[in-house]
Amino acid sequence: TRISLNHNFITNIRGDGVIVASPTGSTAYSMSAGGPILDPSLETLIMAPINPHTLTHRPVLFPSHYSLEVSLSSPEGATVTFDGQVGYDMNAGDLLCIAASPHKTNLIRFPDRTYYDVLRTKLKWGDG
C-alpha cells in the first residue's frame, strides 16, 4: 500500500491494513491497532498501520487540512470500509483520497462529564 500526503510520497506499507481516523475515532479501531488516543479538540488525522510487516511503521499524525492518499499496490486486492459500514472492493492501482470535511459537527457535551471522565470510565483508568 502506497501512502502519500498532499501528493507527496511518504512510504509503502506492507501489512494487514491501514486505519485512518479523526480524533473522535482514535479511541476505537486506531487505539486497538496501537495508535494514540487523541483529544477531540485536535484538528488532525491519524494513520495507523495494522500489523505492519516491519517494526519501523508506526502511527503518524497529519494536520486535518492535508489530503492523505492510499493507493493499493497488491494484486490480491483489498476491502475498504468506512466506520464499520458496507465494504467496497479496492484493486491494484486504485487510489483512495482521504481528507477532513470542511463541515463541522457540534456534539452534545454534558457539563458534569469531561472527555477525560469518559475515558477514565470506559478504559477503567485509575482502577486498582
Side-chain angles (χ1 to χ4, degrees), residues 18-125:
V18 175
I19 294 170
V20 178
S22 68
T24 306
S26 69
T27 53
Y29 292 117
S30 176
M31 185 183 83
S32 68
I37 296 171
L38 302 176
D39 186 288
S41 67
L42 296 173
E43 294 189 12
T44 187
L45 293 175
I46 183 169
M47 188 270 311
I50 304 170
N51 299 325
H53 295 176
T54 178
L55 293 176
T56 59
H57 282 115
R58 295 286 181 236
V60 180
L61 301 177
F62 303 105
S64 63
H65 60 273
Y66 285 9
S67 173
L68 186 69
E69 296 104 24
V70 180
S71 177
L72 186 64
S73 53
S74 171
E76 291 94 30
T79 301
V80 177
T81 58
F82 302 96
D83 203 20
Q85 301 300 311
V86 176
Y88 298 92
D89 291 335
M90 190 169 180
N91 299 305
D94 285 351
L95 179 66
L96 181 63
C97 296
I98 303 161
S101 172
H103 305 288
K104 303 293 181 191
T105 298
N106 290 317
L107 300 175
I108 297 173
R109 298 189 188 214
F110 298 99
D112 59 330
R113 288 183 64 185
T114 69
Y115 172 71
Y116 294 98
D117 291 334
V118 174
L119 280 180
R120 204 170 26 259
T121 300
K122 285 186 177 185
L123 300 178
K124 302 188 185 329
W125 286 353

